[in-house]
Amino acid sequence: MSKKTEKQTDLGLRQFIKDLGYLSGGAALLATTPWLQSFTPEKAKEIQSEKARIALIGTGSRGQYHIHNLLPMKHAEIVALCDIYAPNLKEAARLCPKAKKYTDYRKMLESPDIDGVVIATPLNWHAPMVIDALSAGKHVFCEKSMALTMDQCKAIYDASRKTDKVLYFCMQRLFDEKYIKGMQMIHSGLIGDVVGLRCHWFRNHDWRRPVPSAALERQINWRLYRQSSAGLMTELASHQLEVCNWAMHRIPRSVVGLGDIVHWKDGREVYDSVSLTYRYGNGVKITYESLISNKYNGMEDQVLGSKGTMNLATGMYFLEGEDASANSGIEQLLSQIGNKVFAAVPAAGSSWRPETQKAYKPHYIVEGKYHINDGLSMIGAVKDGSDEILSAFCQACITGEKGKDIVEEAYCATMLCLLGNQAMEEQRKIDFPDEYKIPYMKFE
Amino acid sequence: MFHGSLTHIMGTRFDLVLIGKGRELSVSVWDRIIRELERLGNMLNRFDPASEVSRINQKACSGAVRVSDEMWKILLDCRRYHDRTAGLFDITLRDFSALDLQPERQAISFLHPELSLDLGGYAKGYAMKRLLEILKTCGAEHAFIDFGNSAIYGLGHHPYGNSWSVSIGNPYRHGEPVGEFALMNTALSTSGNTPDYTGHIVNPLNGEKNTDQKMICVECDDPLDAEVLTTAMMAAGSGQKEKMMKRFQVIQWKEFDLQH
């Protein structure tokens, strides 16, 4: 890619974070979102003459999504690509013709010309690759979830404590403006006490990729088999459970759940329907549901407060006691005056009464610009924080500054996913096991 | 432009759009308005057991209750409206003659054990008058005041029009407008049934609840006249309406049959 087309793509979020710092309480906010502290426009200027030399392991759809995000970044260059599946490696090489190609990631890690590694491989490969890359002295950015098993997660967490290298997991909601602002609103008490959390992710798709030969089924459709995947929980729920913990500032104590294959009975081993309840120490519960044979309800991360409801995925909130229909006349009048228009507004009618409210008035978390992730894309949504978190990682490859709390957040979220799977498989309530607790976790 | 909104006041919501007064003055006007609405709510809300009207309702059956100067004026005003509407506006909802007003003591007693006062058809109009006084004292020339959609006042005009234009929505067919009014220093009150709130208007002359699918809108210079008249008109027979309107300075009134 030529220099002319390079641009700083993450300036929106950087400016937003800078603005937060100027707001009253901004310092307190940055203290509760410490991973954002260095992600400022000033820092972007400071590192503009340097480039993080990035290698990718895994060049499938998600790997290529990261390539597209990396290419325009001023402070990154893709120097190496690695995959065992030739068609994907070829396509990635077409995007980055100067990058060196590998089929053995260990061989690639021996190269001294790589600062950071981006891992977008099947879940069972995360732990060995992350640990090997850290041991090889590379900074690491790995796709979520953290790993396939609890022991692997603990091993990664322990490795991250020992290394001086940077480790990021792609928990992109941590870098999504509407989540950051929405959390600020929740923590400032806008929706009152958090009394419940409802998250769901619905799609109507078999979750399969086309397979050129039957021998490649388990390699390409790795998400469908337990040897390589923990199914809907690690692929989808991990983001949402992380959001719940972020809102609650704590970790659930226990989980119960039911999982089944109800529709896609095609030989897969992971559930296509899950329903779980996570319970926090104060009795607040997360109701989690995911189904991939009906997409009516889409995807939402909903925080229920005693004074309002925050729909983080769609970037909207609603306050108790506000009626949408009754207010529409005044809203129209305000909008008219703002736009210098004069017309009749539907303000008059029989008396509005608070006890008959039916619809709530929507407010936008980030006024004027919001990007809604409908959850339907199997690769990644536009402007969901993925490019920003990757940009922050590339910055960290240059500065060597660790991403505060990111490993811990990824660890907590992944552990909850895996505990959820255990609860569904064993059909019993699972308490958070002591051996996997880390000091970061607050249960009360 | 300043917009103030209260979601729960005097049993409904309240919105004020104030034009051209700057932020500081607008905020201080809004503060005065909130205080006045809360004061009136504390006096006139029969659902608040601590309000003055509740105190009357609790004690006036068993003896005379002395009332505040303001409440006394309100009660006399309600009696005048009762007379001018030939009994169709009635804060007792059943028998105004059972209300014993004692001027020498500025007291009230009920001559019927089940009597009680309901200022619901009066309070919003009265409050609107008080708010207009505040706005005029503060030099406001252009404002839109909306009391839960059923009582509206257009002070001056819209910044880009020569009035405040409002349309009336049909509660039985969502989004369908049935009429339009251009308010300029005038008040519009609306009364009627809605699909989920029917039978709240009682004919004081026969005690029957009105369940008609209709809506009545009255535009007057005086917001209290408009408020009282819409309530009285819901109960009036066809012959009574024109007669009653002649006793008031009404700019226009409309009745909408919403059955079809």
Side-chain angles (χ1 to χ4, degrees):
Chain A
M1 179 160 282
S2 77
K3 276 228 178 281
K4 278 181 188 166
T5 57
E6 282 187 349
K7 59 185 188 298
Q8 195 72 42
T9 52
D10 55 26
L11 275 179
L13 182 64
R14 285 181 187 270
Q15 186 59 43
F16 173 75
I17 290 164
K18 184 179 176 179
D19 293 345
L20 286 179
Y22 291 139
L23 296 173
S24 60
L29 170 74
L30 286 174
T32 61
T33 49
W35 54 87
L36 299 175
Q37 299 240 355
S38 329
F39 201 63
T40 57
E42 287 72 21
K43 197 55 114 181
K45 267 187 212 156
E46 236 174 76
I47 58 163
Q48 66 183 355
S49 60
E50 298 185 63
K51 280 189 188 297
R53 296 168 302 173
I54 302 296
L56 277 101
I57 310 179
T59 56
S61 56
R62 186 68 182 176
Q64 287 176 32
Y65 172 88
H66 287 314
I67 290 174
H68 283 289
N69 283 336
L70 283 164
L71 285 175
M73 278 180 208
K74 278 181 182 170
H75 59 297
E77 66 175 315
I78 299 168
V79 295
L81 302 165
C82 178
D83 207 308
I84 54 168
Y85 186 57
N88 284 348
L89 186 60
K90 192 177 164 194
E91 180 57 26
R94 196 183 59 78
L95 295 170
C96 331
K98 287 184 190 162
K100 210 170 165 191
K101 289 183 281 182
Y102 294 88
T103 52
D104 180 345
Y105 81 91
R106 290 185 184 89
K107 194 87 190 150
M108 187 178 83
L109 291 176
E110 288 170 11
S111 165
D113 302 322
I114 293 168
D115 301 314
V117 177
V118 172
I119 299 170
T121 57
L123 187 63
N124 56 321
W125 281 102
H126 286 189
M129 287 173 171
V130 167
I131 291 168
D132 287 345
L134 288 175
S135 304
K138 310 298 183 198
H139 303 296
V140 178
F141 177 98
C142 182
E143 261 306 322
K144 61 86 196 115
S145 289
M146 192 176 248
L148 182 62
T149 69
M150 295 187 215
D151 284 335
Q152 287 178 340
C153 290
K154 190 65 173 35
I156 290 176
Y157 171 77
D158 290 340
S160 78
R161 306 284 294 169
K162 287 179 197 139
T163 181
D164 61 347
K165 296 295 154 192
V166 171
L167 176 57
Y168 269 59
F169 285 90
C170 192
M171 307 300 290
Q172 64 260 27
R173 280 161 168 76
L174 295 173
F175 282 74
D176 187 325
E177 264 187 48
K178 58 183 185 293
Y179 281 85
I180 297 164
K181 191 81 198 298
M183 288 298 174
Q184 181 189 24
M185 291 171 167
I186 292 168
H187 295 148
S188 70
L190 178 75
I191 62 165
D193 295 331
V194 176
V195 294
L197 301 121
R198 293 178 61 188
C199 298
H200 57 255
W201 202 322
F202 294 97
R203 287 172 173 168
N204 195 347
H205 188 277
D206 64 4
W207 221 14
R208 285 189 163 279
R209 303 289 165 93
V211 179
S213 81
L216 291 170
E217 164 66 10
R218 283 185 178 252
Q219 187 182 324
I220 290 177
N221 283 314
W222 60 270
R223 287 180 182 81
L224 307 183
Y225 301 96
R226 284 302 270 128
Q227 189 191 356
S228 48
S229 167
L232 296 174
M233 296 309 294
T234 46
E235 294 308 305
L236 301 181
S238 54
H239 291 299
Q240 302 177 281
L241 296 174
E242 189 275 322
V243 165
C244 295
N245 295 339
W246 187 2
M248 290 295 289
H249 281 148
R250 65 182 88 192
I251 307 290
R253 282 194 160 280
S254 63
V255 55
V256 291
L258 295 169
D260 296 278
I261 299 172
V262 297
H263 184 76
W264 300 108
K265 296 178 180 177
D266 54 3
R268 71 184 59 204
E269 297 166 359
V270 300
Y271 304 133
D272 65 1
S273 157
V274 297
S275 297
L276 304 103
T277 304
Y278 290 83
R279 189 171 185 275
Y280 288 94
N282 62 355
V284 171
K285 289 173 265 306
I286 306 170
T287 306
Y288 187 81
E289 198 177 0
S290 184
L291 190 67
I292 51 170
S293 49
N294 176 301
K295 64 178 164 53
Y296 178 80
N297 289 292
M299 186 263 285
E300 189 55 271
D301 303 335
Q302 191 174 65
V303 183
L304 309 174
S306 55
K307 293 181 183 167
T309 304
M310 188 73 66
N311 285 355
L312 288 155
T314 41
M316 294 168 114
Y317 66 90
F318 307 84
L319 299 176
E320 297 283 305
E322 282 191 343
D323 181 283
S325 56
N327 206 34
S328 60
I330 284 289
E331 289 293 313
Q332 285 182 36
L333 177 61
L334 297 174
S335 152
Q336 263 187 26
I337 296 173
N339 292 310
K340 303 188 177 182
V341 171
F342 173 63
V345 291
S350 306
S351 190
W352 177 84
R353 300 174 313 121
E355 60 274 25
T356 59
Q357 27 177 276
K358 285 171 185 163
Y360 284 73
K361 178 188 161 194
H363 304 268
Y364 296 106
I365 294 174
V366 181
E367 279 294 343
K369 51 173 181 175
Y370 45 92
H371 302 276
I372 294 171
N373 178 3
D374 59 13
L376 297 180
S377 166
M378 304 234 301
I379 302 161
V382 178
K383 293 299 290 177
D384 67 350
S386 295
D387 49 349
E388 283 90 352
I389 190 170
L390 187 56
S391 174
F393 167 72
C394 294
Q395 175 183 309
C397 286
I398 296 167
T399 63
E401 195 180 344
K402 286 194 169 192
K404 215 168 171 314
D405 293 355
I406 293 177
V407 172
E408 288 81 357
E409 286 290 320
Y411 178 80
C412 294
T414 307
M415 288 301 295
L416 292 179
C417 294
L418 299 176
L419 290 171
N421 270 341
Q422 190 187 343
M424 291 188 285
E425 279 157 12
E426 298 177 11
Q427 300 215 4
R428 65 182 180 95
K429 183 182 119 184
I430 305 286
D431 291 320
F432 203 104
D434 286 339
E435 62 268 35
Y436 295 115
K437 288 179 182 170
I438 60 171
Y440 182 76
M441 293 176 175
K442 291 188 188 72
F443 289 91
E444 293 301 332
Chain B
M1 174 175 63
F2 171 89
H3 173 221
S5 183
L6 296 170
T7 51
H8 286 84
I9 191 78
M10 295 176 73
T12 186
R13 67 171 285 143
F14 176 81
D15 286 279
L16 168 74
V17 178
L18 180 57
I19 305 295
K21 282 293 144 197
R23 185 174 165 77
E24 209 172 307
L25 181 60
S26 298
V27 169
S28 81
V29 171
W30 179 242
D31 284 345
R32 285 183 64 181
I33 284 177
I34 292 175
R35 280 202 300 276
E36 179 63 5
L37 287 174
E38 284 173 349
R39 188 186 72 81
L40 292 174
N42 292 339
M43 179 166 64
L44 304 175
N45 183 2
R46 73 189 167 102
F47 297 110
D48 174 3
S51 70
E52 185 170 9
V53 73
S54 290
R55 195 169 55 83
I56 295 169
N57 284 341
Q58 287 151 18
K59 296 183 180 163
C61 309
S62 45
V65 179
R66 289 177 75 96
V67 300
S68 65
D69 290 351
E70 190 173 5
M71 180 60 87
W72 181 251
K73 282 183 193 157
I74 288 172
L75 292 173
L76 294 181
D77 202 25
C78 288
R79 185 164 70 182
R80 273 193 297 276
Y81 276 119
H82 177 258
D83 295 345
R84 289 171 78 192
T85 59
L88 289 168
F89 173 79
D90 187 342
I91 54 171
T92 70
L93 302 181
R94 54 193 299 159
D95 185 4
F96 200 88
S97 67
L99 205 63
D100 181 21
L101 297 174
Q102 300 159 19
E104 62 285 357
R105 296 177 59 204
Q106 200 170 293
I108 176 175
S109 65
F110 297 159
L111 305 178
H112 188 290
E114 285 172 30
L115 209 67
S116 74
L117 300 184
D118 179 352
L119 292 165
Y122 180 92
K124 280 191 274 185
Y126 181 76
M128 190 71 92
K129 279 186 96 152
R130 302 280 311 178
L131 301 188
L132 281 175
E133 283 167 25
I134 293 174
L135 285 166
K136 284 175 182 168
T137 312
C138 299
E141 293 165 286
H142 305 287
F144 185 80
I145 314 159
D146 181 354
F147 236 125
N149 291 356
S150 74
I152 291 174
Y153 192 91
L155 178 66
H157 57 81
H158 187 291
Y160 303 101
N162 54 9
S163 66
W164 294 98
S165 183
V166 293
S167 66
I168 317 290
N170 181 347
Y172 295 92
R173 289 183 194 178
H174 188 69
E176 182 186 286
V178 293
E180 212 169 289
F181 286 82
L183 309 181
M184 191 170 62
N185 299 318
T186 54
L188 177 70
S189 276
T190 306
S191 191
N193 289 314
T194 63
D196 55 358
Y197 193 40
T198 292
H200 61 290
I201 301 165
V202 177
N203 185 334
L205 301 182
N206 56 19
E208 281 176 15
K209 288 180 176 172
N210 187 307
T211 56
D212 295 348
Q213 284 191 24
K214 68 176 182 181
M215 200 157 54
I216 289 190
C217 297
V218 179
E219 184 187 359
C220 294
D221 289 331
D222 185 328
L224 191 46
D225 282 358
E227 189 66 8
V228 164
L229 278 173
T230 53
T231 312
M233 291 285 276
M234 280 299 281
S238 52
Q240 291 171 297
K241 287 174 187 160
E242 289 296 340
K243 225 162 124 186
M244 188 163 62
M245 286 301 181
K246 282 184 186 149
R247 294 192 208 112
F248 292 86
Q249 286 196 317
V250 175
I251 295 167
Q252 61 172 324
W253 68 279
K254 282 179 183 165
E255 179 169 356
F256 301 103
D257 180 356
L258 306 174
Q259 284 188 77
H260 306 292

